[in-house]
Amino acid sequence: MNIQDAIQLFDEYQYQEAFEAFVAVYTESNNLEERQSIIKILMEAYYAPNAQQLQEMYESNIQILMAYPYFWNKTFQNFSDLSFLLFPIDDDLFYIFDKHTQTFTAKYDGISDQHMKHFFSDLEHALVVRNEDSLYNLKFLFDTVRRSEDVALDNHIYLLYDAWEPLERMMQIGNLKNILRFEKFVFLMEETNHAKYPIDFKEQYGIDYINMPQKALQIEDMNRICYWWKRGYAGGILGTGVLGANDYVSMKWGWQFHQHTKFQGQPLFSTQHFYEWISDINKMYSISDIAHLYQDPMYEWYFPDFDDFFGFIKKYDETRSYTLPELFRLFFIFHYNKNHPSKSLRVAPIILWEPHLNDQTAYLPIVKTFDYKIILNSMREPLTLTTRIFESEQSIFPYSEYAICMNVPEELQKNYYAYRFEDLKAYPQQTTKAICHVLNIPFDAKMLDVDVPYESPNTTTPNEVVKGFDCAPLHRKLDYVLSEFDQVRLKIFYDPILRHYGYSNTFDFTECPMTDEDIHYLLKFPFRFEALFVALQKEDVTAQEIREILYKNMVTLLTMSKSGELHFPTVIRIHTEDI
């Protein structure tokens, strides 16, 4: 790579690639003249067009922080005297240049969600965050941590900085005004100020949080959702039940709203009306509209506790109207308050919603209205899952994981996570802690109490207990459904999935190399479950028809996998050193 290559990338409008190419040449060069030439190019092409905006933002934030009460030693440097420069190379990506060492030190993307941290591992003490330079993270904290006045204790977010540069970076890339509303943050700059933590607000400011009345959760508090992406027979009931035992989770299943409700005599969730209705997220509903809808004879509502919920809505604010996303949030606030009548939450709970629908996209219009969203499910080892599905439903569907990868919308794929069912069974503490880390909630020991009751979607009887951590399902015998030949072929078929999730029963392609043609040839032979399936069918279906459909689908999915069309979730790994 040389300067001309970098210039060519710039001329082709590949600005980020060009910048990185210039930096690579600059870093490797020992020629002072060449380095000065590169700096001049970068200053003219990247820095100068944005310098005024960076300076104005920095100086605007100085004025905001000068007026902020919980900030000591406000000795802000002039913009020109800062020890570094920020070179913008994309909408939310910068390069840091150290003026003293004349080196490019690191990329900086303080606006994106790429560096979200786990902030809530310890909520026994006032919250401490060290050297935070992500404006996105501070906004998340502002949106999620409740006001001290609402929870009747010191619930400020103490920002401890060993040096000024992390804050100075943020001051250039975004306005701090909005997140400083309600004075949730306390800035403690440099070690001399760290000793102020925690502040005695009653002594220093005459603010007695302890004697303030606690405030109930508000619609605006409920800005996080974990949307459970159903995968049949993969431990979804166990996973949602364990998570639902956490005090910082408000969990409900679809059976409590749409599962048993009918519209014009048909299951509501199977009608086009349901999809049209739930996608109209801007329509407003007054209190009388809600009552009329519930009494509409076209509906047969199965809505436990509707009268209490309706009373809760009226008490919340009888004069206002609500959108569906707002009613959705109120639904979870109502149930959370009902299950935790005396709980004062320092951090607003995350909603865990398992609609239990085959069409997972139904609730996405509402899910997308949340500022912070995660798609989550439980993965089960594919060969065992194939056997489990057949034994339970006499159904053959040995490619469900591929189908799930295709269904998650592209804009939510970066938010898509999965953990292994086997990990939750065998290592419940490590796995639940890892999931809590991703959801940014504290770990709750009640998640490990397998006898804790939670409502099952399979019954209208509340508090059915589903035993959780018995490992017997991990040792299911496969030979009734899959021959040894079948198992080898499914390992080959599922190879991308087995490797992505870190399963150990993978096929050794190094010892036995195989072409696509070899794999397709192996898939032409019937599986043991095909004959079992045909024998159990009451409908007129032939073995040949089953064979043709199965082969076509498996080859198609393998081809899609090879072409990179499938998007697997981020796997939630457990810390093996703790096992």
Side-chain angles (χ1 to χ4, degrees):
M1 182 69 69
N2 55 45
I3 293 181
Q4 292 305 316
D5 294 328
I7 292 174
Q8 183 176 344
L9 288 170
F10 187 88
D11 290 341
E12 294 172 353
Y13 309 109
Q14 299 182 51
Y15 298 124
Q16 181 176 336
E17 293 81 358
F19 191 95
E20 292 175 346
F22 278 120
V23 169
V25 177
Y26 177 87
T27 303
E28 295 172 3
S29 177
N30 294 318
N31 186 313
L32 180 60
E33 184 177 345
E34 183 179 50
R35 286 165 63 89
Q36 291 175 338
S37 175
I38 292 172
I39 287 295
K40 182 179 180 181
I41 293 172
L42 295 180
M43 290 291 290
E44 292 177 354
Y46 292 88
Y47 187 76
N50 300 284
Q52 183 176 349
Q53 181 179 350
L54 294 170
Q55 181 172 352
E56 289 176 354
M57 184 65 72
Y58 176 77
E59 293 173 350
S60 173
N61 282 321
I62 288 180
Q63 298 305 311
I64 293 168
L65 290 172
M66 289 294 290
Y68 192 71
Y70 305 136
F71 197 120
W72 291 266
N73 297 353
K74 301 175 181 180
T75 54
F76 298 99
Q77 295 191 77
N78 292 327
F79 182 77
S80 59
D81 295 332
L82 294 176
S83 63
F84 65 95
L85 299 176
L86 284 185
F87 284 80
I89 60 175
D90 205 344
D91 290 341
D92 57 1
L93 186 61
F94 304 82
Y95 242 103
I96 303 169
F97 180 76
D98 188 303
K99 289 157 65 171
H100 298 314
T101 62
Q102 293 289 294
T103 58
F104 291 93
T105 57
K107 292 180 183 179
Y108 173 54
D109 54 351
I111 303 174
S112 77
D113 60 356
Q114 297 302 305
H115 300 287
M116 173 64 81
K117 300 172 184 175
H118 184 216
F119 292 107
F120 307 130
S121 57
D122 176 17
L123 289 180
E124 297 300 317
H125 305 90
L127 187 60
V128 173
V129 178
R130 294 184 178 274
N131 299 317
E132 185 57 65
D133 68 350
S134 169
L135 202 57
Y136 180 92
N137 285 356
L138 291 192
K139 182 180 183 302
F140 170 78
L141 288 166
F142 173 81
D143 290 339
T144 309
V145 177
R146 304 180 69 208
R147 297 175 63 187
S148 299
E149 294 85 345
D150 295 342
V151 296
L153 54 82
D154 175 14
N155 202 35
H156 289 86
I157 305 152
Y158 288 82
L159 300 177
L160 275 61
Y161 288 96
D162 297 323
W164 282 78
E165 185 175 324
L167 178 60
E168 292 167 344
R169 288 199 290 268
M170 286 192 297
M171 291 171 65
Q172 296 183 52
I173 66 172
N175 195 317
L176 299 177
K177 182 177 181 179
N178 284 336
I179 65 171
L180 295 185
R181 291 179 295 123
F182 311 135
E183 299 173 353
K184 291 185 177 183
F185 293 99
V186 174
F187 293 83
L188 298 178
M189 307 303 298
E190 301 181 316
E191 190 172 348
T192 53
N193 282 307
H194 292 181
K196 295 180 183 294
Y197 168 84
I199 293 172
D200 187 331
F201 281 87
K202 183 177 181 180
E203 180 180 336
Q204 294 196 31
Y205 299 99
I207 303 174
D208 187 2
Y209 292 120
I210 299 297
N211 290 317
M212 291 182 177
Q214 295 180 7
K215 189 175 181 181
L217 288 167
Q218 302 294 298
I219 290 175
E220 295 74 19
D221 292 327
M222 308 300 281
N223 54 32
R224 296 191 292 164
I225 188 168
C226 176
Y227 188 49
W228 189 273
W229 207 256
K230 179 188 172 191
R231 180 191 275 113
Y233 299 100
I237 294 178
L238 172 63
T240 53
V242 168
L243 287 173
N246 190 304
D247 278 345
Y248 284 86
V249 175
S250 181
M251 190 278 289
K252 288 297 162 191
W253 286 76
W255 72 271
Q256 293 173 296
F257 170 61
H258 64 246
Q259 203 75 23
H260 301 296
T261 296
K262 293 183 179 180
F263 175 73
Q264 295 181 336
Q266 300 296 318
L268 174 65
F269 64 85
S270 67
T271 65
Q272 183 61 31
H273 167 76
F274 175 65
Y275 290 88
E276 293 172 354
W277 175 64
I278 207 167
S279 63
D280 191 357
I281 59 174
N282 295 315
K283 183 177 179 180
M284 305 294 292
Y285 295 85
S286 66
I287 295 295
S288 60
D289 291 333
I290 296 169
H292 176 75
L293 185 64
Y294 189 70
Q295 296 162 1
D296 191 327
M298 289 193 298
Y299 295 89
E300 297 173 45
W301 292 100
Y302 178 78
F303 201 143
D305 300 327
F306 175 81
D307 290 339
D308 291 341
F309 178 53
F310 186 65
F312 172 77
I313 298 173
K314 291 173 67 176
K315 185 177 180 181
Y316 186 84
D317 190 343
E318 190 171 9
T319 64
R320 67 173 284 182
S321 294
Y322 302 90
T323 63
L324 277 181
E326 289 173 334
L327 289 172
F328 184 79
R329 287 161 169 80
L330 283 173
F331 175 73
F332 282 89
I333 293 175
F334 165 72
H335 280 287
Y336 188 87
N337 291 344
K338 182 180 177 181
N339 296 330
H340 304 80
S342 61
K343 185 69 177 179
S344 177
L345 285 177
R346 295 180 56 193
V347 177
I350 188 171
I351 288 173
L352 174 56
W353 176 235
E354 212 287 40
H356 218 65
L357 291 171
N358 289 329
D359 182 0
Q360 302 289 73
T361 64
Y363 278 88
L364 287 180
I366 289 178
V367 170
K368 291 177 182 179
T369 66
F370 285 79
D371 291 331
Y372 308 98
K373 39 197 169 283
I374 284 177
I375 306 295
L376 180 66
N377 65 22
S378 170
M379 174 61 188
R380 191 169 188 173
E381 191 279 314
L383 277 69
T384 305
L385 181 61
T386 299
T387 306
R388 176 77 174 91
I389 291 174
F390 184 84
E391 291 180 344
S392 300
E393 295 189 4
Q394 287 78 54
S395 174
I396 53 173
F397 193 59
Y399 35 78
S400 58
E401 175 63 18
Y402 284 113
I404 286 175
C405 289
M406 291 186 289
N407 289 338
V408 176
E410 184 175 357
E411 68 269 28
L412 293 178
Q413 286 165 3
K414 69 174 183 177
N415 307 101
Y416 181 25
Y417 291 82
Y419 64 87
R420 302 195 316 181
F421 170 72
E422 295 82 7
D423 289 341
L424 183 58
K425 281 280 190 180
Y427 312 109
Q429 180 167 316
Q430 293 87 346
T431 306
T432 50
K433 284 184 175 180
I435 298 172
C436 288
H437 187 93
V438 170
L439 298 186
N440 232 318
I441 57 175
F443 169 74
D444 190 334
K446 291 193 297 295
M447 300 168 72
L448 302 179
D449 183 357
V450 295
D451 289 327
V452 71
Y454 60 90
E455 295 164 327
S456 165
N458 300 321
T459 179
T460 57
T461 303
N463 299 333
E464 176 181 322
V465 175
V466 178
K467 298 292 182 179
F469 302 131
D470 179 358
C471 289
L474 305 186
H475 308 291
R476 178 178 297 276
K477 292 185 177 181
L478 310 180
D479 54 357
Y480 166 65
V481 176
L482 299 172
S483 69
E484 290 188 13
F485 181 45
D486 294 342
Q487 293 178 42
V488 170
R489 289 185 294 158
L490 283 186
K491 288 179 183 179
I492 295 170
F493 172 71
Y494 276 121
D495 186 70
I497 294 168
L498 293 169
R499 294 184 188 278
H500 177 78
Y501 284 94
Y503 287 109
S504 59
N505 59 332
T506 54
F507 183 83
D508 189 348
F509 284 94
T510 57
E511 184 175 323
C512 184
M514 300 190 72
T515 65
D516 290 346
E517 290 75 16
D518 294 332
I519 297 172
H520 295 173
Y521 176 76
L522 288 176
L523 295 178
K524 285 184 177 181
F525 295 95
F527 289 85
R528 176 172 290 175
F529 56 68
E530 294 179 46
L532 297 172
F533 177 77
V534 173
L536 291 167
Q537 292 307 299
K538 296 180 181 179
E539 300 177 7
D540 185 17
V541 59
T542 68
Q544 182 62 29
E545 290 171 334
I546 295 298
R547 179 91 290 274
E548 290 175 358
I549 293 171
L550 194 61
Y551 176 76
K552 179 181 178 181
N553 286 338
M554 296 181 82
V555 169
T556 299
L557 290 169
L558 279 176
T559 302
M560 294 178 67
S561 177
K562 291 277 187 180
S563 63
E565 295 180 52
L566 302 179
H567 299 276
F568 297 117
T570 300
V571 181
I572 299 176
R573 306 288 184 183
I574 61 174
H575 299 292
T576 54
E577 64 270 16
D578 295 333
I579 297 174

